[in-house]
Amino acid sequence: MFALIDCNNFYASCERVFQPHLNEKPIVILSNNDGCVIARSNEAKALGIPMGAPAFKFKEVFQKNKVEIFSSNFTLYGDMSNRVMSIISRFVPDLEIYSIDEAFLRFNGFTEDEADNKCKEIISTVWKWTGIPVSIGLAPTKSLAKIANRIAKKSPDIPKGFYSINNNKKRLEALGKISTGDIWGIGLQNEKKLSNINVKSGIDFINLPDQWVKKNMSIIGLKLKKELEGSPTLDIEETKIEKKSIATTRSFESDISSLEDLIERITTYSVVASKKLRNQKSECNMICVFIRSNPFKNNNERYHYSLTGSLPFSTNSSIEISKFAVKLLKKIYSKNKSYKKAGIILMGLSPESNHQFSLFDRDIEKQKKLMESIDTIDTKYGLYKVRLASQDQKRIWKMKRQKLSRNYTTEIDEILIVK
């Protein structure tokens, strides 16, 4: 049996753990620079606030309904996620962390009753130890576990946030009630294909001939069909898959037009992306840099410039990567224009253990030791204590986060004080 555990309204729940007066109040979490809604509590959903809602357009709705607004605090959410996943791993060894608030479990060697009881124990333990409410769906396959979890979360008559699709009757009943667009793995394009032949529900989908599914939705669609029929084709992913590319992009609090400011931004993004690269022990040999205008401008005033270049050697050095990134930026920069967003994407990643030395390598061992020292300082004393000379030493660039909550679990001077 497979289970999917999902934290309910995770970002909002994290805020409520340390501010219990927010319970039963509408909450929205905003994206970087407080741009748009990326998470909502059930109370906010009931008010009709959609995902992706621009904050400035819904300002009156927020005020009228006394909606609690928070800037995204990914430091807090990430730490709470680690705590939840750590607790889950105590109960079942076969664990696949699917996202910041979701994980698949595999119950090998458990009877049906043992698996049920274990899921219920996980729910109560996570709640007791972290204050985060979770729901669990249990089923013979991962795809059916997704559907079971959906039932556990959305059905008010389901006790304690747990539902098990443990027989054929429940499986057919669940597939009859779910639309194809809500099935994990269908996707928008396949949903349109299915709609064109009047396939609306999960039952309609599994009644299609295998040949049609394979021809129109590839082997992946056929595997999904088998999963929904109760035959496992997807297993727990136990191997760590490294990223194929690493991106660091940010919108600015206000428009930027000077080249010097853009150079400082791209340099800082290069440092951040290089650190991510070193954390997964990889190197890159290609860089893409882009700058763009405010997307809310009129169509004829929008512009987007990008340029990709190959490095003469693979590296994960912040010095080398920022140097090449700034060269690309200077080639695409245009005077008399203002920019709202910029970013850097590192591509052509390979393990640093496979580094191919060349005549272009410059002081690679010295730079490697230097980067190790900087990373050690960052870990011990906090990020950006050591900066490159091309970064503004006096300016601390920050996103617009006017509603940011405290880092209750990661900063000693921001923990709760009990009186």
Side-chain angles (χ1 to χ4, degrees), residues 211-316:
Q211 295 85 348
W212 187 95
V213 175
K214 185 176 181 180
K215 179 180 178 181
N216 292 276
M217 298 174 63
S218 77
I219 189 66
I220 296 175
L222 183 58
K223 286 184 176 181
L224 174 59
K225 180 174 181 290
K226 296 300 180 184
E227 283 261 323
L228 297 178
E229 290 172 347
S231 301
T233 63
L234 303 173
D235 204 350
I236 296 294
E237 294 185 6
E238 298 175 349
T239 56
K240 183 178 178 182
I241 301 175
E242 303 292 4
K243 296 179 180 178
K244 299 295 189 298
S245 63
I246 290 176
T248 301
T249 68
R250 293 288 187 275
S251 294
F252 310 134
E253 185 173 349
S254 58
D255 287 2
I256 288 177
S257 57
S258 76
L259 177 60
E260 288 74 19
D261 283 341
L262 286 172
I263 288 176
E264 203 282 335
R265 284 291 75 209
I266 290 298
T267 300
T268 298
Y269 298 164
S270 300
V271 171
V272 174
S274 301
K275 187 175 181 65
K276 294 178 183 177
L277 197 61
R278 294 193 295 275
N279 284 342
Q280 75 168 40
K281 301 188 182 303
S282 298
E283 297 178 335
C284 73
N285 58 30
M286 292 183 67
I287 298 176
C288 174
V289 172
F290 75 85
I291 47 178
R292 79 176 191 193
S293 65
N294 192 324
F296 293 105
K297 287 187 174 182
N298 296 327
N299 288 335
N300 58 348
E301 295 179 333
R302 297 178 189 173
Y303 35 86
H304 182 285
Y305 305 109
S306 66
L307 186 61
T308 301
S310 297
L311 300 171
F313 52 87
S314 295
T315 183
N316 57 22

Side-chain angles (χ1 to χ4, degrees), residues 73 405-417:
N73 188 344
S405 57
R406 291 152 59 183
N407 291 323
Y408 300 99
T409 62
T410 56
E411 295 291 340
I412 191 66
D413 56 344
E414 295 186 24
I415 63 173
L416 286 177
I417 298 176

Side-chain angles (χ1 to χ4, degrees), residues 48-114:
I49 301 171
M51 280 289 285
F56 73 94
K57 288 186 178 181
F58 281 77
K59 190 174 182 179
E60 291 185 7
V61 176
F62 295 159
Q63 291 175 344
K64 180 181 178 181
N65 295 280
K66 297 181 179 179
V67 177
E68 300 285 347
I69 306 168
F70 289 92
S71 304
S72 50
N73 188 344
F74 293 117
T75 301
L76 173 64
Y77 309 151
D79 185 66
M80 292 299 290
S81 173
N82 289 337
R83 292 170 186 240
V84 171
M85 300 305 169
S86 176
I87 293 169
I88 299 169
S89 66
R90 292 168 175 255
F91 292 89
V92 182
D94 297 325
L95 170 69
E96 175 193 340
I97 299 175
Y98 185 67
S99 68
I100 192 171
D101 61 345
E102 291 180 288
F104 283 105
L105 315 176
R106 182 177 58 196
F107 289 95
N108 274 358
F110 289 79
T111 66
E112 185 178 312
D113 287 341
E114 287 173 341

Side-chain angles (χ1 to χ4, degrees), residues 180-410:
T180 54
D182 290 329
I183 296 175
W184 178 54
I186 290 288
L188 183 60
Q189 294 302 318
N190 285 327
E191 183 187 3
K192 290 179 180 178
K193 291 179 184 178
L194 295 171
S195 180
N196 289 337
I197 60 171
N198 202 34
V199 173
K200 304 291 186 181
S201 68
I203 283 288
D204 296 335
F205 176 62
I206 65 171
N207 286 335
L208 288 172
D210 287 357
Q211 295 85 348
W212 187 95
V213 175
K214 185 176 181 180
K215 179 180 178 181
N216 292 276
M217 298 174 63
S218 77
I219 189 66
I220 296 175
L222 183 58
K223 286 184 176 181
L224 174 59
K225 180 174 181 290
K226 296 300 180 184
E227 283 261 323
L228 297 178
E229 290 172 347
S231 301
T233 63
L234 303 173
D235 204 350
I236 296 294
E237 294 185 6
E238 298 175 349
T239 56
K240 183 178 178 182
I241 301 175
E242 303 292 4
K243 296 179 180 178
K244 299 295 189 298
S245 63
I246 290 176
T248 301
T249 68
R250 293 288 187 275
S251 294
F252 310 134
E253 185 173 349
S254 58
D255 287 2
I256 288 177
S257 57
S258 76
L259 177 60
E260 288 74 19
D261 283 341
L262 286 172
I263 288 176
E264 203 282 335
R265 284 291 75 209
I266 290 298
T267 300
T268 298
Y269 298 164
S270 300
V271 171
V272 174
S274 301
K275 187 175 181 65
K276 294 178 183 177
L277 197 61
R278 294 193 295 275
N279 284 342
Q280 75 168 40
K281 301 188 182 303
S282 298
E283 297 178 335
C284 73
N285 58 30
M286 292 183 67
I287 298 176
C288 174
V289 172
F290 75 85
I291 47 178
R292 79 176 191 193
S293 65
N294 192 324
F296 293 105
K297 287 187 174 182
N298 296 327
N299 288 335
N300 58 348
E301 295 179 333
R302 297 178 189 173
Y303 35 86
H304 182 285
Y305 305 109
S306 66
L307 186 61
T308 301
S310 297
L311 300 171
F313 52 87
S314 295
T315 183
N316 57 22
S317 165
S318 301
I319 297 172
E320 297 296 340
I321 289 174
S322 62
K323 191 180 300 181
F324 283 105
V326 168
K327 286 183 180 179
L328 294 175
L329 171 65
K330 289 180 178 179
K331 291 180 180 179
I332 59 176
Y333 171 75
S334 179
K335 294 181 179 179
N336 303 319
K337 290 185 179 295
S338 58
Y339 303 93
K340 183 62 175 176
K341 187 173 184 177
I344 176 173
I345 306 172
L346 307 182
M347 300 175 291
L349 307 191
S350 60
E352 64 179 0
S353 58
N354 295 346
H355 180 82
Q356 297 293 318
F357 290 87
S358 72
L359 294 174
F360 297 101
D361 285 335
R362 292 174 293 185
D363 300 324
I364 183 171
E365 286 302 320
K366 289 183 179 179
Q367 288 206 29
K368 184 177 180 180
K369 291 180 180 179
L370 176 60
M371 292 300 111
E372 289 175 354
S373 299
I374 291 175
D375 290 342
T376 300
I377 293 172
D378 284 348
T379 301
K380 187 173 183 179
Y381 298 105
L383 295 176
Y384 313 127
K385 299 300 181 184
V386 178
R387 305 186 193 184
L388 299 184
S390 50
Q391 293 178 270
D392 192 325
Q393 303 303 302
K394 297 180 180 180
R395 178 183 299 169
I396 299 177
W397 288 84
K398 291 184 178 179
M399 292 181 289
K400 179 183 177 183
R401 296 194 291 181
Q402 297 179 341
K403 301 288 185 176
L404 186 65
S405 57
R406 291 152 59 183
N407 291 323
Y408 300 99
T409 62
T410 56

Side-chain angles (χ1 to χ4, degrees), residues 140-164:
T141 71
K142 289 174 74 173
S143 299
L144 287 173
K146 263 280 192 180
I147 296 175
N149 180 273
R150 180 183 176 86
I151 296 171
K153 289 183 70 172
K154 296 185 176 295
S155 299
D157 55 335
I158 299 299
K160 298 183 179 179
F162 171 72
Y163 187 75
S164 175

